C-alpha cells in the first residue's frame, strides 16, 4: 500500500469541507479523484500534504502515519505535490526551475534519480526550452514544467491537481503520456480531475467525491458502462 487515507476530515471556519473520506492508492497505481467544482478535491490533496489547519483522520504513506507531520517532512518522505496554481519561478529559466526542485532521493527510493536530461526525454516539449523564462512558455508547458520540477525531488508518489485543466487537446494527450511514463518509472499517482475521459486514459481506478465524501469508487471503465456516467460532473 502506497497511500491509505482513513476518515479524513477538514474544516474551514465552521464548514466541514471533508467529512470522513477514505481512499487508497497501491504502489505503481494511477488513481483518479473525480468530482465537480467545490466537491473537495483540492482540499483532499492539500490535507494529505498537511496544508489544512483543521484536519483529523489518518493518512498512511508507505505504512507510516504522516497525518501530523509538517508539509516539508511529508515531501521529504517522497510525496510530490503539484498544486493547481503551479507556483513556478516565472523569472527563472526552465532549467533553473528544474534545479530548484532537486532533492536527494527519499529513504527507500529504488529508481534512478531524476536529472534535467532525463526529464527532457520524458517531456520532449520542454527539451528545447531550457534557457527560456518559465513565465514566457505556454500554459501547457508550464503545467509540464511544474510536474517535471516536482519529479526532480525524486518522489515515490505524486499528487496532481487537475493536470489537464485548461490544456489544448493535443497537450492533454501529451500529459496523459507523461503520467503513464511516470507510472512506468515506478511513481504512484493520485490525480484530481473533472475530465472523465482524461481520467480514463491514465487511471485504472477512480473515486468520486461529492460534498466532501466519497460517493462511489471502482474501475474507471465501470464508470462508462452506464448512462449516468457523467452525472456527477455535470
Ligand atoms: N480557503 C477556503 N476558505 C473557505 N472555503 C474554502 C476554502 N477553500 C475551499 N473552500 C471551500 O471548500 C469546498 C471544497 O473546495 P475545493 O477542495 O477547492 O474543491 P474542488 O477542488 O473539488 O473544486 C468548496 O465549497 C470551497 O468553496
Ligand atoms: Mg480544485
Amino acid at each position: 500500500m502506497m497511500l491509505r487515507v482513513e476518515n479524513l476530515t477538514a474544516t474551514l471556519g465552521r464548514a466541514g469541507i471533508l467529512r470522513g473520506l477514505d481512499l487508497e492508492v497501491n504502489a505503481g497505481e494511477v488513481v483518479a479523484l473525480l468530482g465537480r467544482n467545490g466537491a473537495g478535491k483540492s482540499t483532499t490533496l492539500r490535507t494529505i500534504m498537511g496544508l489544512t489547519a483543521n484536519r483529523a483522520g489518518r493518512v498512511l504513506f508507505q505504512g507510516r502515519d504522516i497525518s501530523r507531520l509538517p508539509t516539508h517532512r511529508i515531501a521529504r518522505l517522497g510525496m510530490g505535490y503539484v498544486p493547481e496554481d503551479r507556483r513556478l519561478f516565472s523569472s527563472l529559466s526552465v532549467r533553473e526551475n528544474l534545479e530548484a526542485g532537486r532533492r536527494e532521493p527519499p529513504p527507500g527510493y529504488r529508481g534512478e534519480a531524476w536529472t534535467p536530461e532525463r526529464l527532457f526525454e520524458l517531456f520532449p516539449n520542454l527539451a528545447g526550452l531550457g534557457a527560456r523564462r518559465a513565465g514566457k512558455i505556454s500554459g501547457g508547458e508550464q503545467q509540464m514544467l511544474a510536474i517535471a520540477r516536482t519529479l526532480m525531488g525524486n518522489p515515490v508518489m505524486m499528487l496532481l491537481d487537475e493536470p489537464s485543466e485548461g490544456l489544448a487537446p493535443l497537450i492533454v494527450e501529451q500529459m496523459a503520456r507523461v503520467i503513464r511514463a511516470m507510472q512506468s518509472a515506478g511513481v504512484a499517482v493520485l490525480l484530481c480531475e473533472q475530465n472523465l475521459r482524461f481520467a480514463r486514459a491514465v487511471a485504472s481506478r477512480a473515486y468520486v467525491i461529492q460534498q466532501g465524501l466519497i460517493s462511489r469508487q471502482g474501475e474507471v471503465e465501470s464508470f462508462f458502462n452506464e448512462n449516468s456516467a457523467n452525472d456527477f460532473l455535470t
Side-chain angles (χ1 to χ4, degrees), residues 164-201:
S164 78
E165 195 196 7
L167 303 186
L170 201 66
I171 311 293
V172 171
E173 262 176 51
Q174 289 176 17
M175 184 63 75
R177 272 200 293 277
V178 160
I179 291 172
R180 287 192 288 263
M182 282 186 340
Q183 181 179 30
S184 305
V187 181
V189 178
L190 175 62
L191 72 145
C192 294
E193 265 306 328
Q194 299 191 55
N195 180 340
L196 185 56
R197 290 192 49 208
F198 180 77
R200 182 192 206 182

PDB file of all heavy atoms in Angstrom, residues 164-201:
ATOM      1  N   SER A 164      -4.943  18.280 -16.380  1.00  0.00           N
ATOM      2  CA  SER A 164      -5.396  18.508 -17.762  1.00  0.00           C
ATOM      3  C   SER A 164      -6.175  19.811 -17.910  1.00  0.00           C
ATOM      4  O   SER A 164      -6.546  20.190 -19.011  1.00  0.00           O
ATOM      5  CB  SER A 164      -6.274  17.346 -18.234  1.00  0.00           C
ATOM      6  OG  SER A 164      -7.580  17.465 -17.695  1.00  0.00           O
ATOM      7  N   GLU A 165      -6.397  20.495 -16.793  1.00  0.00           N
ATOM      8  CA  GLU A 165      -7.269  21.663 -16.837  1.00  0.00           C
ATOM      9  C   GLU A 165      -6.707  22.777 -17.725  1.00  0.00           C
ATOM     10  O   GLU A 165      -5.539  23.159 -17.600  1.00  0.00           O
ATOM     11  CB  GLU A 165      -7.474  22.222 -15.424  1.00  0.00           C
ATOM     12  CG  GLU A 165      -8.616  23.187 -15.342  1.00  0.00           C
ATOM     13  CD  GLU A 165      -8.574  24.025 -14.079  1.00  0.00           C
ATOM     14  OE1 GLU A 165      -7.589  23.941 -13.331  1.00  0.00           O
ATOM     15  OE2 GLU A 165      -9.538  24.774 -13.862  1.00  0.00           O
ATOM     16  N   GLY A 166      -7.532  23.269 -18.617  1.00  0.00           N
ATOM     17  CA  GLY A 166      -7.155  24.403 -19.443  1.00  0.00           C
ATOM     18  C   GLY A 166      -6.182  24.089 -20.561  1.00  0.00           C
ATOM     19  O   GLY A 166      -5.675  25.002 -21.207  1.00  0.00           O
ATOM     20  N   LEU A 167      -5.882  22.804 -20.777  1.00  0.00           N
ATOM     21  CA  LEU A 167      -4.907  22.461 -21.811  1.00  0.00           C
ATOM     22  C   LEU A 167      -5.601  22.154 -23.138  1.00  0.00           C
ATOM     23  O   LEU A 167      -6.695  21.575 -23.163  1.00  0.00           O
ATOM     24  CB  LEU A 167      -4.076  21.237 -21.385  1.00  0.00           C
ATOM     25  CG  LEU A 167      -3.319  21.344 -20.060  1.00  0.00           C
ATOM     26  CD1 LEU A 167      -2.439  20.117 -19.871  1.00  0.00           C
ATOM     27  CD2 LEU A 167      -2.478  22.609 -20.012  1.00  0.00           C
ATOM     28  N   ALA A 168      -4.951  22.513 -24.235  1.00  0.00           N
ATOM     29  CA  ALA A 168      -5.463  22.176 -25.566  1.00  0.00           C
ATOM     30  C   ALA A 168      -5.437  20.653 -25.743  1.00  0.00           C
ATOM     31  O   ALA A 168      -4.612  19.974 -25.130  1.00  0.00           O
ATOM     32  CB  ALA A 168      -4.599  22.849 -26.626  1.00  0.00           C
ATOM     33  N   PRO A 169      -6.331  20.113 -26.569  1.00  0.00           N
ATOM     34  CA  PRO A 169      -6.452  18.652 -26.710  1.00  0.00           C
ATOM     35  C   PRO A 169      -5.129  17.937 -26.984  1.00  0.00           C
ATOM     36  O   PRO A 169      -4.852  16.877 -26.413  1.00  0.00           O
ATOM     37  CB  PRO A 169      -7.415  18.502 -27.893  1.00  0.00           C
ATOM     38  CG  PRO A 169      -8.257  19.731 -27.843  1.00  0.00           C
ATOM     39  CD  PRO A 169      -7.360  20.837 -27.338  1.00  0.00           C
ATOM     40  N   LEU A 170      -4.295  18.516 -27.834  1.00  0.00           N
ATOM     41  CA  LEU A 170      -3.014  17.882 -28.152  1.00  0.00           C
ATOM     42  C   LEU A 170      -2.124  17.803 -26.911  1.00  0.00           C
ATOM     43  O   LEU A 170      -1.430  16.813 -26.675  1.00  0.00           O
ATOM     44  CB  LEU A 170      -2.312  18.686 -29.255  1.00  0.00           C
ATOM     45  CG  LEU A 170      -1.246  17.935 -30.031  1.00  0.00           C
ATOM     46  CD1 LEU A 170      -1.869  16.819 -30.842  1.00  0.00           C
ATOM     47  CD2 LEU A 170      -0.483  18.902 -30.937  1.00  0.00           C
ATOM     48  N   ILE A 171      -2.141  18.858 -26.096  1.00  0.00           N
ATOM     49  CA  ILE A 171      -1.327  18.897 -24.885  1.00  0.00           C
ATOM     50  C   ILE A 171      -1.887  17.930 -23.840  1.00  0.00           C
ATOM     51  O   ILE A 171      -1.152  17.324 -23.071  1.00  0.00           O
ATOM     52  CB  ILE A 171      -1.263  20.331 -24.304  1.00  0.00           C
ATOM     53  CG1 ILE A 171      -0.909  21.343 -25.385  1.00  0.00           C
ATOM     54  CG2 ILE A 171      -0.268  20.415 -23.167  1.00  0.00           C
ATOM     55  CD1 ILE A 171       0.477  21.223 -25.933  1.00  0.00           C
ATOM     56  N   VAL A 172      -3.205  17.779 -23.833  1.00  0.00           N
ATOM     57  CA  VAL A 172      -3.825  16.820 -22.910  1.00  0.00           C
ATOM     58  C   VAL A 172      -3.306  15.410 -23.213  1.00  0.00           C
ATOM     59  O   VAL A 172      -2.993  14.637 -22.304  1.00  0.00           O
ATOM     60  CB  VAL A 172      -5.367  16.875 -22.998  1.00  0.00           C
ATOM     61  CG1 VAL A 172      -5.995  15.733 -22.223  1.00  0.00           C
ATOM     62  CG2 VAL A 172      -5.868  18.210 -22.458  1.00  0.00           C
ATOM     63  N   GLU A 173      -3.181  15.101 -24.496  1.00  0.00           N
ATOM     64  CA  GLU A 173      -2.632  13.788 -24.881  1.00  0.00           C
ATOM     65  C   GLU A 173      -1.202  13.617 -24.398  1.00  0.00           C
ATOM     66  O   GLU A 173      -0.819  12.553 -23.913  1.00  0.00           O
ATOM     67  CB  GLU A 173      -2.645  13.642 -26.404  1.00  0.00           C
ATOM     68  CG  GLU A 173      -3.837  12.873 -26.929  1.00  0.00           C
ATOM     69  CD  GLU A 173      -3.838  12.865 -28.446  1.00  0.00           C
ATOM     70  OE1 GLU A 173      -2.791  12.509 -29.021  1.00  0.00           O
ATOM     71  OE2 GLU A 173      -4.867  13.228 -29.031  1.00  0.00           O
ATOM     72  N   GLN A 174      -0.405  14.667 -24.543  1.00  0.00           N
ATOM     73  CA  GLN A 174       0.981  14.599 -24.049  1.00  0.00           C
ATOM     74  C   GLN A 174       1.000  14.411 -22.536  1.00  0.00           C
ATOM     75  O   GLN A 174       1.822  13.671 -22.001  1.00  0.00           O
ATOM     76  CB  GLN A 174       1.747  15.878 -24.410  1.00  0.00           C
ATOM     77  CG  GLN A 174       2.054  16.002 -25.888  1.00  0.00           C
ATOM     78  CD  GLN A 174       2.724  17.330 -26.231  1.00  0.00           C
ATOM     79  OE1 GLN A 174       3.231  18.023 -25.361  1.00  0.00           O
ATOM     80  NE2 GLN A 174       2.701  17.685 -27.504  1.00  0.00           N
ATOM     81  N   MET A 175       0.089  15.105 -21.866  1.00  0.00           N
ATOM     82  CA  MET A 175       0.013  14.986 -20.403  1.00  0.00           C
ATOM     83  C   MET A 175      -0.313  13.542 -20.011  1.00  0.00           C
ATOM     84  O   MET A 175       0.250  13.005 -19.052  1.00  0.00           O
ATOM     85  CB  MET A 175      -1.040  15.954 -19.861  1.00  0.00           C
ATOM     86  CG  MET A 175      -1.137  15.994 -18.363  1.00  0.00           C
ATOM     87  SD  MET A 175       0.377  16.578 -17.565  1.00  0.00           S
ATOM     88  CE  MET A 175       0.281  18.336 -17.892  1.00  0.00           C
ATOM     89  N   ALA A 176      -1.201  12.915 -20.755  1.00  0.00           N
ATOM     90  CA  ALA A 176      -1.537  11.517 -20.466  1.00  0.00           C
ATOM     91  C   ALA A 176      -0.301  10.631 -20.649  1.00  0.00           C
ATOM     92  O   ALA A 176      -0.049   9.740 -19.828  1.00  0.00           O
ATOM     93  CB  ALA A 176      -2.673  11.058 -21.383  1.00  0.00           C
ATOM     94  N   ARG A 177       0.462  10.886 -21.691  1.00  0.00           N
ATOM     95  CA  ARG A 177       1.692  10.103 -21.898  1.00  0.00           C
ATOM     96  C   ARG A 177       2.673  10.290 -20.753  1.00  0.00           C
ATOM     97  O   ARG A 177       3.310   9.345 -20.300  1.00  0.00           O
ATOM     98  CB  ARG A 177       2.352  10.518 -23.223  1.00  0.00           C
ATOM     99  CG  ARG A 177       1.839   9.728 -24.423  1.00  0.00           C
ATOM    100  CD  ARG A 177       2.831   9.813 -25.580  1.00  0.00           C
ATOM    101  NE  ARG A 177       2.922  11.162 -26.134  1.00  0.00           N
ATOM    102  CZ  ARG A 177       2.066  11.660 -27.037  1.00  0.00           C
ATOM    103  NH1 ARG A 177       1.096  10.905 -27.488  1.00  0.00           N
ATOM    104  NH2 ARG A 177       2.205  12.880 -27.484  1.00  0.00           N
ATOM    105  N   VAL A 178       2.778  11.539 -20.280  1.00  0.00           N
ATOM    106  CA  VAL A 178       3.688  11.832 -19.176  1.00  0.00           C
ATOM    107  C   VAL A 178       3.276  11.053 -17.924  1.00  0.00           C
ATOM    108  O   VAL A 178       4.116  10.469 -17.225  1.00  0.00           O
ATOM    109  CB  VAL A 178       3.706  13.352 -18.893  1.00  0.00           C
ATOM    110  CG1 VAL A 178       4.227  13.646 -17.511  1.00  0.00           C
ATOM    111  CG2 VAL A 178       4.533  14.069 -19.951  1.00  0.00           C
ATOM    112  N   ILE A 179       1.989  11.026 -17.655  1.00  0.00           N
ATOM    113  CA  ILE A 179       1.525  10.335 -16.442  1.00  0.00           C
ATOM    114  C   ILE A 179       1.772   8.830 -16.563  1.00  0.00           C
ATOM    115  O   ILE A 179       2.218   8.176 -15.618  1.00  0.00           O
ATOM    116  CB  ILE A 179       0.053  10.673 -16.160  1.00  0.00           C
ATOM    117  CG1 ILE A 179      -0.020  12.149 -15.728  1.00  0.00           C
ATOM    118  CG2 ILE A 179      -0.531   9.767 -15.080  1.00  0.00           C
ATOM    119  CD1 ILE A 179      -1.412  12.698 -15.600  1.00  0.00           C
ATOM    120  N   ARG A 180       1.538   8.284 -17.744  1.00  0.00           N
ATOM    121  CA  ARG A 180       1.841   6.856 -17.928  1.00  0.00           C
ATOM    122  C   ARG A 180       3.339   6.580 -17.811  1.00  0.00           C
ATOM    123  O   ARG A 180       3.742   5.552 -17.270  1.00  0.00           O
ATOM    124  CB  ARG A 180       1.293   6.372 -19.277  1.00  0.00           C
ATOM    125  CG  ARG A 180      -0.230   6.237 -19.272  1.00  0.00           C
ATOM    126  CD  ARG A 180      -0.709   5.488 -20.498  1.00  0.00           C
ATOM    127  NE  ARG A 180      -0.577   6.303 -21.695  1.00  0.00           N
ATOM    128  CZ  ARG A 180      -1.585   7.011 -22.231  1.00  0.00           C
ATOM    129  NH1 ARG A 180      -2.786   6.985 -21.666  1.00  0.00           N
ATOM    130  NH2 ARG A 180      -1.399   7.731 -23.302  1.00  0.00           N
ATOM    131  N   ALA A 181       4.151   7.517 -18.291  1.00  0.00           N
ATOM    132  CA  ALA A 181       5.606   7.328 -18.182  1.00  0.00           C
ATOM    133  C   ALA A 181       6.054   7.392 -16.725  1.00  0.00           C
ATOM    134  O   ALA A 181       6.935   6.644 -16.299  1.00  0.00           O
ATOM    135  CB  ALA A 181       6.337   8.388 -19.018  1.00  0.00           C
ATOM    136  N   MET A 182       5.423   8.271 -15.955  1.00  0.00           N
ATOM    137  CA  MET A 182       5.749   8.337 -14.519  1.00  0.00           C
ATOM    138  C   MET A 182       5.413   7.017 -13.859  1.00  0.00           C
ATOM    139  O   MET A 182       6.163   6.505 -13.032  1.00  0.00           O
ATOM    140  CB  MET A 182       4.945   9.458 -13.835  1.00  0.00           C
ATOM    141  CG  MET A 182       5.499  10.816 -14.094  1.00  0.00           C
ATOM    142  SD  MET A 182       4.730  12.180 -13.203  1.00  0.00           S
ATOM    143  CE  MET A 182       3.195  11.637 -12.718  1.00  0.00           C
ATOM    144  N   GLN A 183       4.259   6.481 -14.243  1.00  0.00           N
ATOM    145  CA  GLN A 183       3.844   5.189 -13.690  1.00  0.00           C
ATOM    146  C   GLN A 183       4.862   4.117 -14.052  1.00  0.00           C
ATOM    147  O   GLN A 183       5.263   3.314 -13.202  1.00  0.00           O
ATOM    148  CB  GLN A 183       2.465   4.825 -14.234  1.00  0.00           C
ATOM    149  CG  GLN A 183       1.928   3.517 -13.693  1.00  0.00           C
ATOM    150  CD  GLN A 183       0.544   3.201 -14.226  1.00  0.00           C
ATOM    151  OE1 GLN A 183       0.197   3.600 -15.345  1.00  0.00           O
ATOM    152  NE2 GLN A 183      -0.244   2.504 -13.436  1.00  0.00           N
ATOM    153  N   SER A 184       5.322   4.103 -15.307  1.00  0.00           N
ATOM    154  CA  SER A 184       6.336   3.126 -15.725  1.00  0.00           C
ATOM    155  C   SER A 184       7.624   3.292 -14.940  1.00  0.00           C
ATOM    156  O   SER A 184       8.353   2.326 -14.730  1.00  0.00           O
ATOM    157  CB  SER A 184       6.658   3.272 -17.214  1.00  0.00           C
ATOM    158  OG  SER A 184       5.496   3.170 -17.969  1.00  0.00           O
ATOM    159  N   ALA A 185       7.903   4.536 -14.536  1.00  0.00           N
ATOM    160  CA  ALA A 185       9.119   4.785 -13.749  1.00  0.00           C
ATOM    161  C   ALA A 185       8.918   4.425 -12.279  1.00  0.00           C
ATOM    162  O   ALA A 185       9.806   4.631 -11.463  1.00  0.00           O
ATOM    163  CB  ALA A 185       9.528   6.257 -13.888  1.00  0.00           C
ATOM    164  N   GLY A 186       7.738   3.908 -11.932  1.00  0.00           N
ATOM    165  CA  GLY A 186       7.515   3.430 -10.571  1.00  0.00           C
ATOM    166  C   GLY A 186       6.872   4.421  -9.633  1.00  0.00           C
ATOM    167  O   GLY A 186       6.813   4.189  -8.431  1.00  0.00           O
ATOM    168  N   VAL A 187       6.402   5.551 -10.170  1.00  0.00           N
ATOM    169  CA  VAL A 187       5.789   6.580  -9.328  1.00  0.00           C
ATOM    170  C   VAL A 187       4.273   6.352  -9.285  1.00  0.00           C
ATOM    171  O   VAL A 187       3.622   6.282 -10.327  1.00  0.00           O
ATOM    172  CB  VAL A 187       6.093   7.989  -9.899  1.00  0.00           C
ATOM    173  CG1 VAL A 187       5.476   9.071  -9.025  1.00  0.00           C
ATOM    174  CG2 VAL A 187       7.601   8.201 -10.034  1.00  0.00           C
ATOM    175  N   ALA A 188       3.730   6.220  -8.090  1.00  0.00           N
ATOM    176  CA  ALA A 188       2.270   6.121  -7.941  1.00  0.00           C
ATOM    177  C   ALA A 188       1.670   7.519  -8.060  1.00  0.00           C
ATOM    178  O   ALA A 188       2.330   8.505  -7.725  1.00  0.00           O
ATOM    179  CB  ALA A 188       1.914   5.510  -6.584  1.00  0.00           C
ATOM    180  N   VAL A 189       0.431   7.599  -8.547  1.00  0.00           N
ATOM    181  CA  VAL A 189      -0.165   8.913  -8.807  1.00  0.00           C
ATOM    182  C   VAL A 189      -1.601   8.950  -8.285  1.00  0.00           C
ATOM    183  O   VAL A 189      -2.383   8.028  -8.518  1.00  0.00           O
ATOM    184  CB  VAL A 189      -0.178   9.221 -10.328  1.00  0.00           C
ATOM    185  CG1 VAL A 189      -0.848  10.569 -10.600  1.00  0.00           C
ATOM    186  CG2 VAL A 189       1.233   9.207 -10.909  1.00  0.00           C
ATOM    187  N   LEU A 190      -1.915  10.024  -7.566  1.00  0.00           N
ATOM    188  CA  LEU A 190      -3.315  10.343  -7.255  1.00  0.00           C
ATOM    189  C   LEU A 190      -3.606  11.676  -7.915  1.00  0.00           C
ATOM    190  O   LEU A 190      -2.945  12.673  -7.613  1.00  0.00           O
ATOM    191  CB  LEU A 190      -3.528  10.440  -5.742  1.00  0.00           C
ATOM    192  CG  LEU A 190      -4.926  10.888  -5.288  1.00  0.00           C
ATOM    193  CD1 LEU A 190      -6.012   9.907  -5.726  1.00  0.00           C
ATOM    194  CD2 LEU A 190      -4.964  11.084  -3.774  1.00  0.00           C
ATOM    195  N   LEU A 191      -4.548  11.693  -8.867  1.00  0.00           N
ATOM    196  CA  LEU A 191      -4.834  12.937  -9.558  1.00  0.00           C
ATOM    197  C   LEU A 191      -6.287  13.315  -9.433  1.00  0.00           C
ATOM    198  O   LEU A 191      -7.179  12.469  -9.516  1.00  0.00           O
ATOM    199  CB  LEU A 191      -4.415  12.878 -11.037  1.00  0.00           C
ATOM    200  CG  LEU A 191      -5.208  12.034 -12.005  1.00  0.00           C
ATOM    201  CD1 LEU A 191      -5.256  12.687 -13.357  1.00  0.00           C
ATOM    202  CD2 LEU A 191      -4.580  10.664 -12.128  1.00  0.00           C
ATOM    203  N   CYS A 192      -6.524  14.615  -9.187  1.00  0.00           N
ATOM    204  CA  CYS A 192      -7.864  15.175  -9.195  1.00  0.00           C
ATOM    205  C   CYS A 192      -8.236  15.485 -10.614  1.00  0.00           C
ATOM    206  O   CYS A 192      -7.400  15.949 -11.381  1.00  0.00           O
ATOM    207  CB  CYS A 192      -7.886  16.512  -8.448  1.00  0.00           C
ATOM    208  SG  CYS A 192      -7.564  16.355  -6.731  1.00  0.00           S
ATOM    209  N   GLU A 193      -9.478  15.254 -10.972  1.00  0.00           N
ATOM    210  CA  GLU A 193      -9.902  15.543 -12.342  1.00  0.00           C
ATOM    211  C   GLU A 193     -11.384  15.862 -12.393  1.00  0.00           C
ATOM    212  O   GLU A 193     -12.175  15.360 -11.606  1.00  0.00           O
ATOM    213  CB  GLU A 193      -9.640  14.352 -13.265  1.00  0.00           C
ATOM    214  CG  GLU A 193      -8.316  14.414 -14.018  1.00  0.00           C
ATOM    215  CD  GLU A 193      -8.124  15.699 -14.804  1.00  0.00           C
ATOM    216  OE1 GLU A 193      -9.110  16.284 -15.292  1.00  0.00           O
ATOM    217  OE2 GLU A 193      -6.968  16.143 -14.921  1.00  0.00           O
ATOM    218  N   GLN A 194     -11.750  16.691 -13.363  1.00  0.00           N
ATOM    219  CA  GLN A 194     -13.155  16.824 -13.745  1.00  0.00           C
ATOM    220  C   GLN A 194     -13.348  16.240 -15.129  1.00  0.00           C
ATOM    221  O   GLN A 194     -14.472  16.109 -15.593  1.00  0.00           O
ATOM    222  CB  GLN A 194     -13.566  18.298 -13.756  1.00  0.00           C
ATOM    223  CG  GLN A 194     -13.430  18.940 -12.403  1.00  0.00           C
ATOM    224  CD  GLN A 194     -14.070  20.294 -12.356  1.00  0.00           C
ATOM    225  OE1 GLN A 194     -15.239  20.451 -12.676  1.00  0.00           O
ATOM    226  NE2 GLN A 194     -13.302  21.290 -11.952  1.00  0.00           N
ATOM    227  N   ASN A 195     -12.241  15.932 -15.794  1.00  0.00           N
ATOM    228  CA  ASN A 195     -12.265  15.419 -17.153  1.00  0.00           C
ATOM    229  C   ASN A 195     -12.245  13.890 -17.105  1.00  0.00           C
ATOM    230  O   ASN A 195     -11.196  13.262 -16.944  1.00  0.00           O
ATOM    231  CB  ASN A 195     -11.046  15.976 -17.888  1.00  0.00           C
ATOM    232  CG  ASN A 195     -10.966  15.512 -19.330  1.00  0.00           C
ATOM    233  OD1 ASN A 195     -11.581  14.517 -19.705  1.00  0.00           O
ATOM    234  ND2 ASN A 195     -10.195  16.224 -20.122  1.00  0.00           N
ATOM    235  N   LEU A 196     -13.426  13.302 -17.228  1.00  0.00           N
ATOM    236  CA  LEU A 196     -13.556  11.857 -17.095  1.00  0.00           C
ATOM    237  C   LEU A 196     -12.787  11.111 -18.180  1.00  0.00           C
ATOM    238  O   LEU A 196     -12.197  10.059 -17.938  1.00  0.00           O
ATOM    239  CB  LEU A 196     -15.040  11.486 -17.126  1.00  0.00           C
ATOM    240  CG  LEU A 196     -15.409  10.025 -16.887  1.00  0.00           C
ATOM    241  CD1 LEU A 196     -14.858   9.517 -15.580  1.00  0.00           C
ATOM    242  CD2 LEU A 196     -16.918   9.866 -16.914  1.00  0.00           C
ATOM    243  N   ARG A 197     -12.782  11.664 -19.377  1.00  0.00           N
ATOM    244  CA  ARG A 197     -12.063  10.991 -20.474  1.00  0.00           C
ATOM    245  C   ARG A 197     -10.570  10.964 -20.208  1.00  0.00           C
ATOM    246  O   ARG A 197      -9.891   9.978 -20.478  1.00  0.00           O
ATOM    247  CB  ARG A 197     -12.349  11.682 -21.805  1.00  0.00           C
ATOM    248  CG  ARG A 197     -13.785  11.452 -22.260  1.00  0.00           C
ATOM    249  CD  ARG A 197     -13.981  11.882 -23.694  1.00  0.00           C
ATOM    250  NE  ARG A 197     -12.928  11.331 -24.553  1.00  0.00           N
ATOM    251  CZ  ARG A 197     -12.521  11.920 -25.669  1.00  0.00           C
ATOM    252  NH1 ARG A 197     -13.050  13.050 -26.049  1.00  0.00           N
ATOM    253  NH2 ARG A 197     -11.583  11.361 -26.390  1.00  0.00           N
ATOM    254  N   PHE A 198     -10.043  12.054 -19.671  1.00  0.00           N
ATOM    255  CA  PHE A 198      -8.627  12.074 -19.329  1.00  0.00           C
ATOM    256  C   PHE A 198      -8.335  11.062 -18.219  1.00  0.00           C
ATOM    257  O   PHE A 198      -7.363  10.313 -18.276  1.00  0.00           O
ATOM    258  CB  PHE A 198      -8.202  13.477 -18.893  1.00  0.00           C
ATOM    259  CG  PHE A 198      -6.752  13.581 -18.518  1.00  0.00           C
ATOM    260  CD1 PHE A 198      -5.777  13.636 -19.494  1.00  0.00           C
ATOM    261  CD2 PHE A 198      -6.363  13.611 -17.188  1.00  0.00           C
ATOM    262  CE1 PHE A 198      -4.429  13.713 -19.152  1.00  0.00           C
ATOM    263  CE2 PHE A 198      -5.031  13.693 -16.838  1.00  0.00           C
ATOM    264  CZ  PHE A 198      -4.057  13.755 -17.822  1.00  0.00           C
ATOM    265  N   ALA A 199      -9.209  11.034 -17.226  1.00  0.00           N
ATOM    266  CA  ALA A 199      -9.029  10.070 -16.137  1.00  0.00           C
ATOM    267  C   ALA A 199      -9.015   8.645 -16.683  1.00  0.00           C
ATOM    268  O   ALA A 199      -8.194   7.812 -16.287  1.00  0.00           O
ATOM    269  CB  ALA A 199     -10.147  10.237 -15.105  1.00  0.00           C
ATOM    270  N   ARG A 200      -9.912   8.395 -17.639  1.00  0.00           N
ATOM    271  CA  ARG A 200      -9.978   7.061 -18.223  1.00  0.00           C
ATOM    272  C   ARG A 200      -8.690   6.707 -18.957  1.00  0.00           C
ATOM    273  O   ARG A 200      -8.270   5.546 -18.970  1.00  0.00           O
ATOM    274  CB  ARG A 200     -11.154   7.012 -19.195  1.00  0.00           C
ATOM    275  CG  ARG A 200     -11.357   5.661 -19.830  1.00  0.00           C
ATOM    276  CD  ARG A 200     -12.335   5.766 -20.979  1.00  0.00           C
ATOM    277  NE  ARG A 200     -13.008   4.514 -21.233  1.00  0.00           N
ATOM    278  CZ  ARG A 200     -13.882   4.338 -22.202  1.00  0.00           C
ATOM    279  NH1 ARG A 200     -14.195   5.355 -23.001  1.00  0.00           N
ATOM    280  NH2 ARG A 200     -14.443   3.173 -22.393  1.00  0.00           N
ATOM    281  N   ALA A 201      -8.066   7.729 -19.566  1.00  0.00           N
ATOM    282  CA  ALA A 201      -6.852   7.481 -20.349  1.00  0.00           C
ATOM    283  C   ALA A 201      -5.649   7.140 -19.471  1.00  0.00           C
ATOM    284  O   ALA A 201      -4.694   6.536 -19.960  1.00  0.00           O
ATOM    285  CB  ALA A 201      -6.535   8.707 -21.214  1.00  0.00           C
TER     286      ALA A 201
END
